[in-house]
Amino acid sequence: MEPELSVPPIFSPIPPAIHPHHADIDVQTAAWAETFRIGSDELRGKLVTQEIGTFSARILPEGRAEVVSLLADFVLWLFGVDDGHCEEGELGHRPGDLAGLLHRLIRVAQNPEAPMMQDDPLAAGLRDLRLRIDRYGTAGQRARWVDALREYFFSVVWEAAHRRAGTVPDLNDYTLMRLYDGATSVVLPMLEMGYGYELQPHERDRTAVRAAAEMASFIITWDNDIFSHHKERRSPGYYLNALRVLEQGGLSPQEALDVAIAQRDRVMCLYTRLTEQLSAEGSPQLRQYLNSLSSFIRGAQDWGISSVRYTTPDDPANLPPVFCDTPTDDRHEPLDIPAVAWWWELVPAPAGQTTTRRRVEQTA
Ligand code: 3E9
Ligand code: MG
Ligand code: MG
Ligand code: MG
Ligand code: MG
Protein backbone atom coordinates (compact mmCIF):
# COMPACT_ATOMS: atom_id res chain seq x y z
CA MET A 1 0.00 0.00 0.00
CA GLU A 2 1.21 3.51 -0.82
CA PRO A 3 1.48 5.83 2.21
CA GLU A 4 -1.56 8.06 2.77
CA LEU A 5 -1.21 11.55 1.33
CA SER A 6 -1.47 14.38 3.81
CA VAL A 7 -3.10 17.55 2.45
CA PRO A 8 -1.40 20.72 3.74
CA PRO A 9 -3.31 23.96 4.48
CA ILE A 10 -4.45 25.36 1.12
CA PHE A 11 -4.17 29.02 0.06
CA SER A 12 -7.41 30.98 0.41
CA PRO A 13 -7.52 34.78 0.42
CA ILE A 14 -11.34 34.73 0.83
CA PRO A 15 -12.83 35.16 4.33
CA PRO A 16 -15.29 32.50 5.58
CA ALA A 17 -18.99 33.34 6.05
CA ILE A 18 -22.19 31.43 6.76
CA HIS A 19 -25.93 32.17 6.71
CA PRO A 20 -27.35 32.58 10.24
CA HIS A 21 -30.11 30.00 9.52
CA HIS A 22 -27.64 27.29 8.47
CA ALA A 23 -28.69 24.75 11.11
CA ASP A 24 -32.42 24.97 10.22
CA ILE A 25 -31.65 24.85 6.51
CA ASP A 26 -29.55 21.72 6.98
CA VAL A 27 -32.42 19.98 8.84
CA GLN A 28 -34.94 21.08 6.18
CA THR A 29 -32.78 19.68 3.39
CA ALA A 30 -32.57 16.29 5.07
CA ALA A 31 -36.39 16.37 5.40
CA TRP A 32 -36.73 17.32 1.72
CA ALA A 33 -34.58 14.34 0.72
CA GLU A 34 -36.87 12.05 2.74
CA THR A 35 -40.07 13.57 1.35
CA PHE A 36 -38.93 13.01 -2.23
CA ARG A 37 -37.01 9.82 -1.44
CA ILE A 38 -33.92 11.04 -3.32
CA GLY A 39 -31.46 8.19 -4.01
CA SER A 40 -31.54 4.65 -2.62
CA ASP A 41 -32.25 4.35 1.12
CA GLU A 42 -28.54 3.67 1.62
CA LEU A 43 -27.34 6.68 -0.39
CA ARG A 44 -29.92 9.00 1.17
CA GLY A 45 -28.92 7.82 4.64
CA LYS A 46 -25.40 9.06 3.89
CA LEU A 47 -26.33 12.29 2.08
CA VAL A 48 -28.47 13.56 4.97
CA THR A 49 -25.46 13.42 7.32
CA GLN A 50 -23.13 15.37 5.01
CA GLU A 51 -24.19 18.93 5.99
CA ILE A 52 -25.23 19.85 2.46
CA GLY A 53 -27.53 22.55 3.90
CA THR A 54 -24.54 24.04 5.70
CA PHE A 55 -22.60 24.04 2.43
CA SER A 56 -25.38 26.04 0.75
CA ALA A 57 -25.50 28.42 3.74
CA ARG A 58 -21.82 29.16 3.11
CA ILE A 59 -22.40 29.80 -0.62
CA LEU A 60 -25.14 32.40 0.07
CA PRO A 61 -24.21 33.78 3.52
CA GLU A 62 -26.52 36.81 3.24
CA GLY A 63 -29.00 35.40 0.73
CA ARG A 64 -32.76 34.92 0.96
CA ALA A 65 -33.32 31.91 3.22
CA GLU A 66 -35.80 30.36 0.73
CA VAL A 67 -33.14 30.35 -1.97
CA VAL A 68 -30.46 29.00 0.38
CA SER A 69 -32.87 26.11 1.01
CA LEU A 70 -33.58 25.73 -2.70
CA LEU A 71 -29.85 25.57 -3.47
CA ALA A 72 -29.27 23.07 -0.65
CA ASP A 73 -32.02 20.76 -1.93
CA PHE A 74 -30.66 21.11 -5.47
CA VAL A 75 -27.10 20.21 -4.42
CA LEU A 76 -28.44 17.17 -2.57
CA TRP A 77 -30.42 16.27 -5.70
CA LEU A 78 -27.24 16.63 -7.80
CA PHE A 79 -25.47 14.16 -5.53
CA GLY A 80 -28.47 11.86 -6.02
CA VAL A 81 -27.63 11.93 -9.75
CA ASP A 82 -23.80 12.07 -9.50
CA ASP A 83 -23.38 9.45 -6.77
CA GLY A 84 -26.55 7.45 -7.42
CA HIS A 85 -26.42 7.12 -11.19
CA CYS A 86 -22.97 8.21 -12.42
CA GLU A 87 -20.35 7.11 -9.91
CA GLU A 88 -21.99 4.29 -7.96
CA GLY A 89 -24.86 3.19 -10.24
CA GLU A 90 -25.17 0.89 -13.25
CA LEU A 91 -25.66 3.73 -15.71
CA GLY A 92 -22.25 5.16 -14.89
CA HIS A 93 -20.80 2.44 -17.11
CA ARG A 94 -23.44 2.83 -19.86
CA PRO A 95 -23.04 6.30 -21.37
CA GLY A 96 -25.75 5.78 -24.00
CA ASP A 97 -28.39 4.76 -21.46
CA LEU A 98 -27.22 7.47 -19.08
CA ALA A 99 -27.68 10.05 -21.87
CA GLY A 100 -31.26 8.82 -22.36
CA LEU A 101 -32.15 9.17 -18.66
CA LEU A 102 -30.54 12.62 -18.48
CA HIS A 103 -32.41 13.83 -21.58
CA ARG A 104 -35.68 12.76 -19.94
CA LEU A 105 -34.76 14.64 -16.77
CA ILE A 106 -33.99 17.76 -18.83
CA ARG A 107 -37.48 17.52 -20.31
CA VAL A 108 -38.94 17.37 -16.80
CA ALA A 109 -36.91 20.45 -15.77
CA GLN A 110 -38.01 22.33 -18.87
CA ASN A 111 -41.65 21.14 -18.99
CA PRO A 112 -42.55 19.86 -15.53
CA GLU A 113 -46.15 19.27 -16.70
CA ALA A 114 -45.00 16.64 -19.24
CA PRO A 115 -46.57 13.31 -18.13
CA MET A 116 -43.35 11.30 -18.03
CA MET A 117 -41.13 9.69 -15.35
CA GLN A 118 -44.09 9.89 -13.01
CA ASP A 119 -42.89 7.25 -10.57
CA ASP A 120 -39.29 8.49 -10.52
CA PRO A 121 -38.19 10.18 -7.25
CA LEU A 122 -35.45 12.24 -8.93
CA ALA A 123 -37.99 13.53 -11.46
CA ALA A 124 -40.44 14.43 -8.66
CA GLY A 125 -37.68 16.26 -6.80
CA LEU A 126 -36.71 18.07 -9.99
CA ARG A 127 -40.34 19.21 -10.53
CA ASP A 128 -40.34 20.67 -7.04
CA LEU A 129 -37.03 22.46 -7.66
CA ARG A 130 -38.36 23.87 -10.93
CA LEU A 131 -41.52 25.22 -9.18
CA ARG A 132 -39.36 27.04 -6.66
CA ILE A 133 -37.08 28.40 -9.40
CA ASP A 134 -40.21 29.85 -11.04
CA ARG A 135 -41.01 31.53 -7.71
CA TYR A 136 -37.57 33.03 -7.00
CA GLY A 137 -35.99 33.44 -10.44
CA THR A 138 -36.72 35.18 -13.74
CA ALA A 139 -37.58 33.44 -17.02
CA GLY A 140 -34.01 34.09 -18.17
CA GLN A 141 -32.50 32.56 -15.03
CA ARG A 142 -34.73 29.50 -15.36
CA ALA A 143 -33.65 29.05 -18.99
CA ARG A 144 -29.98 29.30 -18.03
CA TRP A 145 -30.49 26.77 -15.24
CA VAL A 146 -31.93 24.27 -17.77
CA ASP A 147 -29.06 24.96 -20.19
CA ALA A 148 -26.47 24.58 -17.44
CA LEU A 149 -28.07 21.31 -16.35
CA ARG A 150 -27.68 20.12 -19.95
CA GLU A 151 -23.97 21.03 -20.04
CA TYR A 152 -23.44 19.24 -16.72
CA PHE A 153 -25.24 16.15 -18.06
CA PHE A 154 -23.25 16.26 -21.33
CA SER A 155 -19.99 16.17 -19.36
CA VAL A 156 -20.98 13.24 -17.12
CA VAL A 157 -21.78 11.21 -20.24
CA TRP A 158 -18.20 11.86 -21.42
CA GLU A 159 -16.95 10.83 -17.98
CA ALA A 160 -19.06 7.65 -18.18
CA ALA A 161 -17.40 6.75 -21.50
CA HIS A 162 -14.00 6.89 -19.75
CA ARG A 163 -15.39 4.86 -16.84
CA ARG A 164 -16.64 2.16 -19.18
CA ALA A 165 -13.32 2.00 -21.04
CA GLY A 166 -11.27 2.32 -17.83
CA THR A 167 -9.32 5.20 -19.40
CA VAL A 168 -8.03 8.44 -17.90
CA PRO A 169 -8.26 11.58 -20.09
CA ASP A 170 -5.25 13.85 -20.59
CA LEU A 171 -5.00 17.06 -18.58
CA ASN A 172 -6.55 19.31 -21.23
CA ASP A 173 -9.58 17.06 -21.76
CA TYR A 174 -9.94 16.53 -18.02
CA THR A 175 -9.93 20.29 -17.39
CA LEU A 176 -12.59 20.81 -20.03
CA MET A 177 -14.74 18.03 -18.58
CA ARG A 178 -14.21 19.24 -15.03
CA LEU A 179 -15.38 22.80 -15.80
CA TYR A 180 -18.83 21.18 -16.13
CA ASP A 181 -18.93 17.80 -14.34
CA GLY A 182 -18.53 19.39 -10.89
CA ALA A 183 -21.98 20.92 -11.52
CA THR A 184 -20.59 24.33 -10.63
CA SER A 185 -22.20 26.11 -13.59
CA VAL A 186 -25.72 24.96 -12.60
CA VAL A 187 -25.29 26.77 -9.29
CA LEU A 188 -24.59 30.14 -10.95
CA PRO A 189 -28.23 31.19 -11.67
CA MET A 190 -29.00 30.55 -7.99
CA LEU A 191 -26.30 33.02 -6.95
CA GLU A 192 -28.40 35.72 -8.63
CA MET A 193 -31.72 34.40 -7.26
CA GLY A 194 -30.23 34.33 -3.77
CA TYR A 195 -29.93 38.09 -3.77
CA GLY A 196 -32.96 38.85 -5.95
CA TYR A 197 -31.29 40.49 -8.96
CA GLU A 198 -30.66 39.57 -12.59
CA LEU A 199 -27.25 40.13 -14.10
CA GLN A 200 -27.73 41.50 -17.60
CA PRO A 201 -26.44 39.24 -20.42
CA HIS A 202 -24.07 41.93 -21.75
CA GLU A 203 -22.23 41.74 -18.40
CA ARG A 204 -22.64 38.03 -17.57
CA ASP A 205 -21.57 36.83 -21.00
CA ARG A 206 -18.58 39.17 -21.35
CA THR A 207 -15.55 36.98 -21.99
CA ALA A 208 -13.79 38.24 -18.86
CA VAL A 209 -16.84 37.67 -16.60
CA ARG A 210 -17.37 34.20 -18.02
CA ALA A 211 -13.67 33.54 -17.44
CA ALA A 212 -14.02 34.60 -13.78
CA ALA A 213 -16.86 32.07 -13.39
CA GLU A 214 -14.75 29.40 -15.12
CA MET A 215 -11.81 30.14 -12.82
CA ALA A 216 -14.14 29.74 -9.84
CA SER A 217 -15.23 26.36 -11.26
CA PHE A 218 -11.59 25.37 -11.72
CA ILE A 219 -10.65 26.30 -8.15
CA ILE A 220 -13.75 24.63 -6.65
CA THR A 221 -13.25 21.40 -8.58
CA TRP A 222 -9.46 21.22 -8.09
CA ASP A 223 -10.02 21.80 -4.38
CA ASN A 224 -12.65 19.08 -4.45
CA ASP A 225 -10.22 16.76 -6.23
CA ILE A 226 -7.63 17.42 -3.52
CA PHE A 227 -10.06 17.06 -0.57
CA SER A 228 -12.07 14.14 -2.04
CA HIS A 229 -9.04 12.16 -3.24
CA HIS A 230 -9.04 10.01 -0.09
CA LYS A 231 -12.77 9.21 -0.40
CA GLU A 232 -12.53 8.58 -4.14
CA ARG A 233 -9.40 6.43 -4.09
CA ARG A 234 -10.72 4.10 -1.41
CA SER A 235 -14.09 3.61 -3.14
CA PRO A 236 -14.40 0.38 -5.13
CA GLY A 237 -13.99 0.67 -8.88
CA TYR A 238 -13.06 3.50 -11.21
CA TYR A 239 -12.36 7.03 -10.01
CA LEU A 240 -11.31 10.17 -11.83
CA ASN A 241 -9.80 13.34 -10.40
CA ALA A 242 -6.97 15.77 -11.14
CA LEU A 243 -4.49 13.81 -9.01
CA ARG A 244 -5.16 10.64 -10.97
CA VAL A 245 -4.79 12.54 -14.27
CA LEU A 246 -1.43 13.97 -13.16
CA GLU A 247 -0.23 10.56 -11.95
CA GLN A 248 -1.19 9.13 -15.32
CA GLY A 249 1.08 11.83 -16.81
CA GLY A 250 4.04 10.28 -14.94
CA LEU A 251 4.03 11.94 -11.49
CA SER A 252 4.19 10.17 -8.13
CA PRO A 253 1.13 10.63 -5.85
CA GLN A 254 2.96 13.24 -3.75
CA GLU A 255 4.18 15.10 -6.86
CA ALA A 256 0.64 15.03 -8.29
CA LEU A 257 -0.72 16.57 -5.08
CA ASP A 258 1.94 19.30 -5.13
CA VAL A 259 1.31 20.10 -8.80
CA ALA A 260 -2.49 20.19 -8.36
CA ILE A 261 -2.06 22.62 -5.45
CA ALA A 262 0.33 24.82 -7.49
CA GLN A 263 -2.15 24.85 -10.39
CA ARG A 264 -5.08 25.95 -8.27
CA ASP A 265 -2.90 28.51 -6.47
CA ARG A 266 -1.90 30.07 -9.76
CA VAL A 267 -5.54 30.23 -10.87
CA MET A 268 -6.57 31.66 -7.47
CA CYS A 269 -3.99 34.48 -7.86
CA LEU A 270 -5.28 35.23 -11.36
CA TYR A 271 -8.93 35.07 -10.21
CA THR A 272 -8.17 37.61 -7.45
CA ARG A 273 -6.60 40.06 -9.90
CA LEU A 274 -9.32 39.62 -12.52
CA THR A 275 -12.22 40.03 -10.09
CA GLU A 276 -10.62 43.16 -8.55
CA GLN A 277 -10.35 44.63 -12.04
CA LEU A 278 -13.94 43.68 -12.98
CA SER A 279 -15.40 44.91 -9.67
CA ALA A 280 -13.79 48.31 -10.13
CA GLU A 281 -15.49 48.86 -13.47
CA GLY A 282 -18.74 46.85 -13.23
CA SER A 283 -22.33 47.45 -12.08
CA PRO A 284 -23.42 46.84 -8.47
CA GLN A 285 -25.04 43.58 -9.71
CA LEU A 286 -21.74 42.43 -11.21
CA ARG A 287 -19.96 43.20 -7.95
CA GLN A 288 -22.54 41.12 -6.07
CA TYR A 289 -22.13 38.28 -8.58
CA LEU A 290 -18.33 38.30 -8.21
CA ASN A 291 -18.68 38.35 -4.41
CA SER A 292 -20.93 35.32 -4.69
CA LEU A 293 -18.39 33.47 -6.84
CA SER A 294 -15.89 34.05 -4.03
CA SER A 295 -18.37 32.85 -1.37
CA PHE A 296 -18.95 29.77 -3.53
CA ILE A 297 -15.18 29.06 -3.62
CA ARG A 298 -14.70 29.60 0.11
CA GLY A 299 -17.91 27.75 1.01
CA ALA A 300 -16.77 24.70 -0.95
CA GLN A 301 -13.41 24.89 0.86
CA ASP A 302 -14.86 25.11 4.38
CA TRP A 303 -17.37 22.37 3.64
CA GLY A 304 -14.72 20.28 1.86
CA ILE A 305 -12.42 20.02 4.87
CA SER A 306 -15.20 19.45 7.42
CA SER A 307 -18.03 17.35 5.96
CA VAL A 308 -18.03 13.65 6.89
CA ARG A 309 -18.42 13.11 3.13
CA TYR A 310 -14.68 13.84 2.84
CA THR A 311 -13.27 13.35 6.36
CA THR A 312 -14.65 9.74 6.34
CA PRO A 313 -14.37 9.25 10.16
CA ASP A 314 -14.24 5.42 9.89
CA ASP A 315 -10.98 5.76 7.90
CA PRO A 316 -9.91 9.37 8.45
CA ALA A 317 -8.57 11.47 5.60
CA ASN A 318 -5.53 13.63 6.37
CA LEU A 319 -7.24 16.95 5.67
CA PRO A 320 -6.00 20.33 6.96
CA PRO A 321 -8.00 22.04 9.75
CA VAL A 322 -7.34 25.53 8.34
CA PHE A 323 -6.42 27.48 5.19
CA CYS A 324 -3.31 29.60 4.67
CA ASP A 325 -2.64 33.03 3.17
CA THR A 326 0.38 32.28 0.97
CA PRO A 327 0.20 30.56 -2.43
CA THR A 328 2.79 27.91 -3.31
CA ASP A 329 2.91 29.36 -6.84
CA ASP A 330 1.92 32.96 -7.63
CA ARG A 331 3.44 33.19 -11.11
CA HIS A 332 1.41 35.15 -13.64
CA GLU A 333 2.00 32.55 -16.33
CA PRO A 334 -0.54 30.43 -18.20
CA LEU A 335 -0.96 26.82 -17.07
CA ASP A 336 0.10 24.35 -19.75
CA ILE A 337 -3.57 23.58 -20.46
CA PRO A 338 -4.66 24.93 -23.88
CA ALA A 339 -8.37 25.04 -22.99
CA VAL A 340 -7.77 27.66 -20.29
CA ALA A 341 -4.36 29.24 -21.09
CA TRP A 342 -6.18 32.27 -22.58
CA TRP A 343 -7.37 33.26 -19.09
CA TRP A 344 -3.95 34.83 -18.46
CA GLU A 345 -4.40 37.20 -21.40
CA LEU A 346 -7.27 38.97 -19.60
CA VAL A 347 -5.19 40.50 -16.81
CA PRO A 348 -1.91 42.46 -16.96
CA ALA A 349 0.96 40.87 -15.04
CA PRO A 350 1.53 42.48 -11.61
CA ALA A 351 4.52 44.82 -11.34
CA GLY A 352 7.79 42.93 -11.04
CA GLN A 353 6.32 39.64 -12.30
CA THR A 354 7.08 37.62 -15.40
CA THR A 355 5.30 39.16 -18.37
CA THR A 356 3.05 36.84 -20.32
CA ARG A 357 3.70 35.87 -23.92
CA ARG A 358 0.80 38.05 -25.09
CA ARG A 359 2.12 41.15 -23.32
CA VAL A 360 5.54 40.64 -24.82
CA GLU A 361 3.88 40.52 -28.26
CA GLN A 362 1.85 43.63 -27.50
CA THR A 363 4.81 45.69 -26.36
CA ALA A 364 7.25 44.39 -28.97
C1 3E9 B 1 -18.85 17.15 -7.75
O1 3E9 B 1 -17.71 16.43 -8.16
C2 3E9 B 1 -20.14 16.62 -8.28
C3 3E9 B 1 -21.36 17.53 -8.12
C4 3E9 B 1 -22.51 16.91 -8.82
C5 3E9 B 1 -21.67 17.79 -6.69
C6 3E9 B 1 -22.78 18.79 -6.42
C7 3E9 B 1 -22.10 20.01 -5.90
C8 3E9 B 1 -22.25 21.24 -6.42
C9 3E9 B 1 -23.23 21.56 -7.44
C10 3E9 B 1 -21.45 22.36 -5.99
C11 3E9 B 1 -20.01 22.24 -6.39
C12 3E9 B 1 -19.30 21.54 -5.35
C13 3E9 B 1 -18.30 20.65 -5.48
C14 3E9 B 1 -17.62 20.33 -6.75
C15 3E9 B 1 -17.84 20.01 -4.25
P1 3E9 B 1 -17.30 15.05 -7.47
O2 3E9 B 1 -15.83 14.91 -7.49
O3 3E9 B 1 -18.08 13.91 -8.02
O4 3E9 B 1 -17.79 15.34 -5.97
P2 3E9 B 1 -17.43 14.40 -4.72
O5 3E9 B 1 -18.18 15.04 -3.59
O6 3E9 B 1 -17.92 13.02 -5.01
O7 3E9 B 1 -15.97 14.48 -4.52
MG1 MG C 1 -18.66 13.17 -9.88
MG1 MG D 1 -18.30 12.20 -6.70
MG1 MG E 1 -14.48 14.61 -5.91
MG1 MG F 1 -6.81 7.03 5.86
Side-chain angles (χ1 to χ4, degrees), residues 125-294:
L126 189 58
R127 285 191 170 91
D128 179 69
L129 295 167
R130 161 62 200 264
L131 267 177
R132 291 153 72 194
I133 283 171
D134 287 348
R135 196 173 309 147
Y136 299 109
T138 65
Q141 287 165 339
R142 180 216 303 148
R144 286 198 314 108
W145 174 71
V146 172
D147 285 347
L149 208 48
R150 189 180 289 108
E151 75 186 8
Y152 160 65
F153 286 169
F154 194 31
S155 69
V156 296
V157 169
W158 190 11
E159 185 186 45
H162 278 290
R163 188 179 293 109
R164 181 178 61 182
T167 47
V168 174
D170 68 20
L171 183 59
N172 192 56
D173 272 358
Y174 179 69
T175 303
L176 210 43
M177 186 188 299
R178 197 66 175 132
L179 287 178
Y180 306 103
D181 80 1
T184 44
S185 65
V186 283
V187 169
L188 302 182
M190 293 193 185
L191 301 183
E192 297 177 29
M193 291 175 213
Y195 293 95
Y197 68 94
E198 183 167 32
L199 192 60
Q200 293 306 300
H202 70 86
E203 277 202 308
R204 189 197 302 121
D205 299 332
R206 264 181 71 186
T207 302
V209 175
R210 192 167 59 78
E214 289 186 2
M215 290 175 203
S217 291
F218 183 98
I219 297 162
I220 291 165
T221 53
W222 248 242
D223 284 351
N224 173 271
D225 286 354
I226 292 164
F227 298 141
S228 67
H229 180 256
H230 173 84
K231 158 181 99 76
E232 288 167 357
R233 215 192 58 161
R234 76 194 199 120
S235 69
Y238 179 90
Y239 75 98
L240 182 56
N241 61 35
L243 274 58
R244 182 155 193 212
V245 170
L246 291 165
E247 283 175 46
Q248 173 94 352
L251 302 183
S252 72
Q254 183 63 50
E255 288 166 342
L257 174 63
D258 294 344
V259 169
I261 291 172
Q263 290 173 332
R264 56 81 65 206
D265 283 0
R266 226 198 278 181
V267 175
M268 179 65 100
C269 292
L270 181 68
Y271 169 84
T272 304
R273 284 184 214 113
L274 176 62
T275 51
E276 275 169 9
Q277 180 181 301
L278 290 171
S279 291
E281 67 199 30
S283 67
Q285 290 79 11
L286 180 61
R287 273 197 290 284
Q288 176 63 63
Y289 180 71
L290 298 169
N291 277 337
S292 291
L293 290 179
S294 294

Side-chain angles (χ1 to χ4, degrees), residues 22-37:
H22 63 91
D24 290 346
I25 288 162
D26 196 52
V27 170
Q28 285 160 19
T29 290
W32 184 86
E34 293 301 340
T35 301
F36 287 93
R37 306 194 65 72

Side-chain angles (χ1 to χ4, degrees), residues 81-94:
V81 174
D82 212 66
D83 293 351
H85 282 308
C86 302
E87 294 182 11
E88 296 164 16
E90 293 274 297
L91 291 181
H93 296 266
R94 290 176 7 221

